[in-house]
Amino acid sequence: MTTAPAPSAPPTRSRSPLFRRDFALIWTAGLVSDTGDWLLMIALPLFALSATGSALGASTVFLVELVPMLLLGSFLGVLVDRWDHRRTIVVVALLQGVLLLPLLLASAETMGIVYAVAAVEAVLGAIINPARQAMIPQLVGPDQLARGNALVAVSDSLARLIGSPLGGLAFALWGLPGVVIADAATYLVTAVLVALSRPHPPVEHDDAEQPVAAERRILREWGEGLALIARSATLRVLALIAALGGVAQGLFLVLFLVYVTQNLGAGDTGAGIIRGVQAIGGVLGGLVTGWLARRLGPRSLVGGGYLVFGMLSLITWNLAPFTTALWVYAGLFIGMGLPAVTTATGEITLVQTTVPPRALGRVIAAMTTVDGAAQGLGLLLGGLLADRGDIVPVLDVQASLYLLCGVIGLVALRGQKRLP
């Protein structure tokens, strides 16, 4: 007599990481903090423009935010690795709130305050963002890491979708002081939410209690972080993709406004609508990426995402001879938001699964610095090429850089191994 095999249990659907208490707290804290960032990101250039009467005053805000990150970003990542991530976020969020307050005294005669606060906030942001990303592997299991990163991308897009219009509205209603108070409140809420999460065991470091001066130890660990990138084929490929994608993004930031105003004949309002709706695609992209992450590996998310992004970009830049209808371009930009989130999720997941926890902060910061420096190069090239005739061929090159990133991702990101 043969015993019939017991029926196998149906596969259980894993619950969303948002059902994990600590992840939900950190996720919500990030949403609140990033929404506050967007309030200030919109209001500060508007204030600088109105106070100075010059676009140079507004662009200086962006410059003073970029330069400190490029100079200090990778060094700050070393500190992130040495400090407890949870405590770091709490302390830095409180500092961000307090150090915003000098903006209450800002005026056309004291623009130095605006630029100084913008630079300080950029430096603190270069600490808090790698710390938050380095926490994610501690909050979710390995099988849910990509889903967790996708949800963080949803949070980023929601913050942009909420914070951008609120920043403009708050500045119009209450001026810069109202925005400052609201943003400072978001940092206080962020600190409280993160403080409510449970502490995790500290990450072990290879200090061996050697009597090495602090500055020498930081320099050594900074060099070790760069060595990790050089030693890992996966990280080298990701750094190359970050560089190419950064140049493409820098070109876009300059040439997009020219394309919308000249080629489409739309004004500033049209440009704002098209640029803003990409966040809708980001929210949808985060939800779709969570589904894709359970079926595809990070390599496919990165490579496939860049290919789709590049193809949508090529269609967008070459569509003006056929239609200039604003709703068509709004739809295309919503579509671009989906692969943008997919690629970001795949990239950070690869970094988190390749780099040991003790070095995660410095590697994330170094990758961010590469991307920022490449964006600066793209901004410079875009500024030089914007006034030299038809910009569509330049935008086609910009889109082709994304296609190249996709090919590199699919071909070169194979068999990644975790570094010791």
Side-chain angles (χ1 to χ4, degrees), residues 160 249 252-253 256 270-279 333:
R160 175 178 170 183
Q249 178 66 7
F252 166 81
L253 291 173
F256 165 74
I273 291 173
I274 295 174
R275 190 79 171 92
V277 296
Q278 192 172 7
F333 268 77

Side-chain angles (χ1 to χ4, degrees), residues 137-179:
Q138 297 177 306
L139 303 175
V140 299
D143 59 324
Q144 294 233 307
L145 185 56
R147 292 182 70 187
N149 288 324
L151 286 169
V152 171
V154 170
S155 170
D156 293 341
S157 296
L158 279 173
R160 175 178 170 183
L161 194 61
I162 297 168
S164 295
L166 283 183
L169 180 62
F171 182 75
L173 293 176
W174 305 307
L176 188 60
V179 174

Side-chain angles (χ1 to χ4, degrees), residues 259 310-320 329 332 336 396 399:
Y259 180 81
M311 287 186 286
L312 287 174
S313 298
L314 278 177
I315 292 172
T316 300
W317 306 140
N318 293 278
L319 198 59
Y329 293 88
L332 285 167
M336 288 184 203
D396 286 341

Side-chain angles (χ1 to χ4, degrees), residues 136-226:
I136 301 302
Q138 297 177 306
L139 303 175
V140 299
D143 59 324
Q144 294 233 307
L145 185 56
R147 292 182 70 187
N149 288 324
L151 286 169
V152 171
V154 170
S155 170
D156 293 341
S157 296
L158 279 173
R160 175 178 170 183
L161 194 61
I162 297 168
S164 295
L166 283 183
L169 180 62
F171 182 75
L173 293 176
W174 305 307
L176 188 60
V179 174
V180 169
I181 293 171
D183 194 14
T186 66
Y187 288 128
L188 177 60
V189 173
T190 297
V192 170
L193 289 171
V194 176
L196 290 174
S197 67
R198 288 166 294 198
H200 289 79
V203 176
E204 296 293 332
H205 295 278
D206 301 329
D207 283 345
E209 300 300 327
Q210 296 177 359
V212 181
E215 61 273 16
R216 289 178 56 194
R217 190 165 61 240
I218 290 174
L219 285 173
R220 183 191 68 197
E221 293 179 359
W222 173 72
E224 289 172 355
L226 298 181

Side-chain angles (χ1 to χ4, degrees), residues 241-278:
I241 289 174
L244 294 173
V247 172
Q249 178 66 7
L251 287 169
F252 166 81
L253 291 173
V254 175
L255 300 179
F256 165 74
L257 291 176
V258 178
Y259 180 81
V260 171
T261 55
Q262 294 184 2
N263 295 60
L264 302 186
D268 294 341
T269 302
I273 291 173
I274 295 174
R275 190 79 171 92
V277 296
Q278 192 172 7

